[in-house]
Amino acid sequence: MGIKSPVSCFFLSMVLLISVGFQDSVQGRLLLIKKPDPDNAAATARWLVSQNSWGVLNTISMDLGGAPFGNVVSFSDGLPNESSGIPYFYLTTLDPTARNALKDQRSSLTISEYSIGTCGKKDPENPSCAKITLTGKLKLLEGDSKEIEFARNALFTKHPEMEGWPKGHNFQFFKLEIEDIFLIDWFGGPKPLTLDQYFHTELSNVAAILFVPL
């Protein structure tokens, strides 16, 4: 066989990737995933948020006397080339999560590497299978702002089904204003990580995404 061109090598790599089976079930796309080094806490944190499409959003329950209430929700932190690190949500007050946030904004979002598919056979609680909890305030986006447009594009691109959800259910855009970051990506306890480190890390060097429509 002759020497393959870069293009043919690329498509061969894609065939191998398909056989491995890294597939995002939300959009039916394939991901080229490069996990950051465990020593780079900021990059790992941003990678977890940008690569994931759902997590458990915890609010202070107004129906359960202030008990914590966790709910599986979809989110997005931006378009593939415009990751912001800020989780945005499309929520309805028919669901307790949005009602709780309108009463008490204190919230946290927990995300696991396990759902990306890069933990192999490790248990989700294994410290080397990274997980992150972002704690802060879940805020309703109001008015006609650039941030609402950003949230809409980010969410409807990653979760196209959302655009067709019933208008009568009064879905609205929310964001988590992050105040604290809890990250475990290796043995030895949580990694210290400031908001400044989180928001100013260079995400383009830690992961690449290739979109392949089915």
Side-chain angles (χ1 to χ4, degrees), residues 10-150:
F10 171 79
F11 282 104
L12 177 60
S13 298
M14 281 304 305
V15 171
L16 292 173
L17 181 62
I18 291 172
S19 67
V20 171
F22 284 128
Q23 181 170 334
D24 185 330
S25 61
V26 174
Q27 278 194 300
R29 68 190 182 209
L30 297 171
L31 305 182
L32 292 177
I33 302 173
K34 179 185 176 184
K35 182 179 178 179
D37 189 283
D39 291 334
N40 192 341
T44 300
R46 287 294 300 275
W47 176 79
L48 280 170
V49 174
S50 69
Q51 295 294 312
N52 259 294
S53 60
W54 65 275
V56 177
L57 185 58
N58 305 278
T59 52
I60 307 298
S61 175
M62 56 185 294
D63 299 321
L64 301 174
F69 177 80
N71 200 3
V72 171
V73 296
S74 299
F75 75 91
S76 176
D77 77 330
L79 296 173
N81 60 341
E82 297 179 26
S83 171
S84 68
I86 301 171
Y88 290 92
F89 310 90
Y90 194 46
L91 305 174
T92 170
T93 51
L94 295 177
D95 184 279
T97 299
R99 294 201 308 272
N100 292 341
L102 293 176
K103 184 74 173 181
D104 189 331
Q105 295 179 335
R106 290 177 295 169
S107 308
S108 66
L109 174 68
T110 298
I111 305 165
S112 171
E113 180 191 346
Y114 195 85
S115 61
I116 300 175
T118 50
C119 288
K121 295 182 179 180
K122 298 173 185 174
D123 189 90
E125 196 174 338
N126 186 310
S128 63
C129 184
K131 65 276 298 174
I132 189 171
T133 296
L134 305 173
T135 301
K137 292 183 172 63
L138 186 59
K139 294 190 171 183
L140 173 67
L141 300 182
E142 299 182 276
D144 186 15
S145 66
K146 289 184 178 179
E147 187 171 26
I148 285 184
E149 188 62 25
F150 179 89

Side-chain angles (χ1 to χ4, degrees), residues 113-213:
E113 180 191 346
Y114 195 85
S115 61
I116 300 175
T118 50
C119 288
K121 295 182 179 180
K122 298 173 185 174
D123 189 90
E125 196 174 338
N126 186 310
S128 63
C129 184
K131 65 276 298 174
I132 189 171
T133 296
L134 305 173
T135 301
K137 292 183 172 63
L138 186 59
K139 294 190 171 183
L140 173 67
L141 300 182
E142 299 182 276
D144 186 15
S145 66
K146 289 184 178 179
E147 187 171 26
I148 285 184
E149 188 62 25
F150 179 89
R152 177 182 291 108
N153 290 336
L155 286 160
F156 290 0
T157 298
K158 201 166 194 177
H159 306 278
E161 177 188 320
M162 285 182 171
E163 195 167 4
W165 286 354
K167 303 302 180 185
H169 287 194
N170 193 32
F171 281 92
Q172 295 173 286
F173 296 101
F174 288 76
K175 75 171 181 180
L176 182 63
E177 190 173 273
I178 303 169
E179 297 176 348
D180 182 78
I181 302 171
F182 176 89
L183 171 73
I184 291 181
D185 66 351
W186 201 250
F187 299 91
K191 297 287 183 67
L193 183 59
T194 67
L195 294 180
D196 186 67
Q197 290 170 328
Y198 174 79
F199 283 114
H200 291 96
T201 192
E202 183 56 56
L203 186 62
S204 61
N205 291 333
V206 301
I209 303 179
L210 179 67
F211 292 85
V212 180

